[in-house]
Amino acid sequence: MYRYSMFILMVAFCLTAEINAQQTNASDSTMLRKIYSEALTNGKSYSWLDHLSNKIGGRLSGSSNAQKAVEYTKAQLEELGLDKVWLQPVMVPKWTRGTPEYAYVSTSTGGTKNVNICALGGSIATKKGGLKARVVEVSSFEELEELGEEIIKGKIVFYNRPMQADLISTFSAYGGCVNQRYSGAQEAAKYGAAGVIVRSMNLRLDDLPHTGSMSYGNIKPKDRIPAAAISTNDAEYLSSALALDPSLEFYYTMSCQQFPDAQSYNVIGEITGSEFPNEIIIVGGHLDSWDLGDGAHDDGAGVVQSMEVLRLFKESGIQPKRTLRVVLFMNEENGLRGARKYAQVAQQKNERHVFALESDAGGFTPRGFSFDCDKDNFVQIQSWKPLFKPYLIHYFEQGGSGADVGPLKGENVVLAGLRPDSQRYFDHHHAANDTFEHVNKRELELGAATMTSLVYLMDTYGIVKSPQKTKIKG
């Protein structure tokens, strides 16, 4: 009789748990529907991006446009009626491009052809009058080393390793060749090169050079060489021309300049948590951008989507249990100063971050998220996948998160990155066509709603905490 009673109780318990789970899922489903409806019918992300892109423009760290973006986003967050909005001071690098770059190829028969280049961020200028030298084409640092100083000295090194087109993840393709942009000048300078030209990080063939950050590492200032990106069409031309005429020369002139560090700010706003105010959830993107376009996809989209998350919480009547904070980071593109400063201050204040979500992969159709977390938290996150199915969100994978939230990595904190469709991203990345008209309003709004939905679930259920590790004495 006792066993029978226990069996009945167990069955009743399981049925009750299942009913409660169904009710919870129904409640969550209703809330997600409300979030998506608000974002798609009354969203503000697109109008915010319009202002950032068309009224302010490119926002290179330390520039007047970057400061305008700080002031504008702070004012917009204040208009949302958040519990607190503030600026977090941070010193950032200040590099300017100067006058437009100019380049041409000169053949041994006397012919010339103008080509499209742009200085890489952080590069020194060419000497007055420009630089003209013969060209050595390489596809890797290993090939550069094999050629050595005897071949390289006094010449312009042309890095021509394309992004791998058969990789479905364009970010993987980017990662497979971006070292030639970032460290190409540093490596070539070791062998006495006069300068560096790098094939743009772009999967399609066009006439737009793509800038991006580069580093000289520990190369002394007197030994540094100018570095520029060349468009993919002109990289193809230069490679073909070299095959026919190995003695051709390349000329380019750049007037870029590095200034002392400048004062700037992270922009922060928050809604105080109702139950666990000391547990902090953040959403964010980087406010700075390169200067060739207006930074609409990289990362104006991430900025306005992150702002929209807090607006959607307020408009949907969601009072977060945990403190919800938006952080618009300064200087992701050429230094990560804003991210490091935010993490440093958080550590000094002993703040407890439990979840950090970044949007920095463009304003394209959202596909899902990647998570930097332990197995237990990932299992919980995967249990929410059915809630996202109606919105065609399916990608939930463990992996990276984002450059700006990365410094917050630690025990009992989940990091994540929004993963939109990536196939068109590198058509625009760091180029003159990263502009507002290439952002689709609906795709941008879907991204903001998807971020808000994940934040809502993380806030509602909390993270799965790792067991405390016991120190063994002895």
Side-chain angles (χ1 to χ4, degrees), residues 194-212:
V196 161
I197 297 293
V198 181
R199 182 189 183 99
S200 287
M201 307 293 110
N202 182 9
L203 278 160
R204 72 176 183 176
L205 293 175
D206 63 24
D207 296 321
L208 300 171
H210 294 230
T211 191

Side-chain angles (χ1 to χ4, degrees), residues 3-145:
R3 289 182 179 178
Y4 179 74
S5 299
M6 290 300 295
F7 174 75
I8 294 298
L9 286 172
M10 287 286 291
V11 171
F13 175 80
C14 291
L15 287 173
T16 301
E18 184 177 349
I19 291 169
N20 287 339
Q22 290 174 349
Q23 290 174 340
T24 299
N25 288 338
S27 174
D28 291 336
S29 179
T30 299
M31 183 54 72
L32 264 62
R33 177 67 265 175
K34 188 174 184 179
I35 288 168
Y36 274 91
S37 294
E38 172 63 26
L40 293 171
T41 58
N42 298 304
K44 289 205 66 174
S45 57
Y46 195 67
S47 62
W48 283 331
L49 184 61
D50 186 7
H51 188 100
L52 273 179
S53 298
N54 295 320
K55 297 292 192 283
I56 296 176
R59 304 170 296 280
L60 201 55
S61 290
S63 68
S64 59
N65 276 4
Q67 180 59 28
K68 290 176 183 176
V70 166
E71 294 167 359
Y72 172 71
T73 52
K74 178 176 182 287
Q76 294 306 303
L77 290 177
E78 288 172 337
E79 283 191 17
L80 295 182
L82 306 181
D83 294 325
K84 187 178 180 182
V85 178
W86 72 99
L87 300 182
Q88 185 177 73
V90 57
M91 298 299 292
V92 299
K94 182 175 181 178
W95 175 88
T96 61
R97 183 172 304 280
T99 55
E101 303 87 343
Y102 175 69
Y104 64 82
V105 175
S106 177
T107 65
S108 58
T109 58
T112 61
K113 174 179 168 57
N114 291 352
V115 293
N116 298 284
I117 69 163
C118 67
L120 295 179
S123 175
I124 63 169
T126 55
K127 292 180 180 179
K128 189 174 181 180
L131 168 64
K132 189 175 187 180
R134 290 179 62 181
V135 180
V136 176
E137 180 179 354
V138 299
S139 61
S140 68
F141 294 160
E142 291 75 19
E143 188 177 349
L144 186 74
E145 185 178 9

Side-chain angles (χ1 to χ4, degrees), residues 273-301:
S274 60
E275 295 183 32
F276 311 105
N278 293 327
E279 293 185 10
I280 300 171
I281 291 174
I282 74 166
V283 288
H286 64 86
L287 197 49
D288 63 305
S289 77
W290 288 108
D291 56 321
L292 297 178
D294 58 48
H297 276 297
D298 186 20
D299 184 30

Side-chain angles (χ1 to χ4, degrees), residues 359-412:
S359 173
D360 186 17
F364 301 101
T365 302
R367 300 299 189 199
F369 305 91
S370 62
F371 298 90
D372 185 352
C373 64
D374 59 25
K375 180 180 178 181
D376 290 339
N377 275 289
F378 190 59
V379 168
Q380 174 176 256
I381 290 163
Q382 284 185 309
S383 73
W384 301 331
K385 287 182 70 173
L387 292 166
F388 287 92
K389 187 177 179 180
Y391 310 101
L392 305 182
I393 304 301
H394 63 275
Y395 184 87
F396 291 76
E397 299 289 337
Q398 283 187 287
S401 54
D404 284 309
V405 299
L408 293 170
K409 184 178 175 66
E411 194 173 8
N412 286 321

Side-chain angles (χ1 to χ4, degrees), residues 322-343:
R322 292 157 180 85
T323 292
L324 177 55
R325 189 178 284 178
V326 58
V327 184
L328 310 180
F329 298 94
M330 184 57 70
N331 183 231
E332 186 272 346
E333 292 293 3
N334 59 339
L336 278 178
R337 300 277 187 90
R340 295 193 179 105
K341 182 68 173 182
Y342 180 83

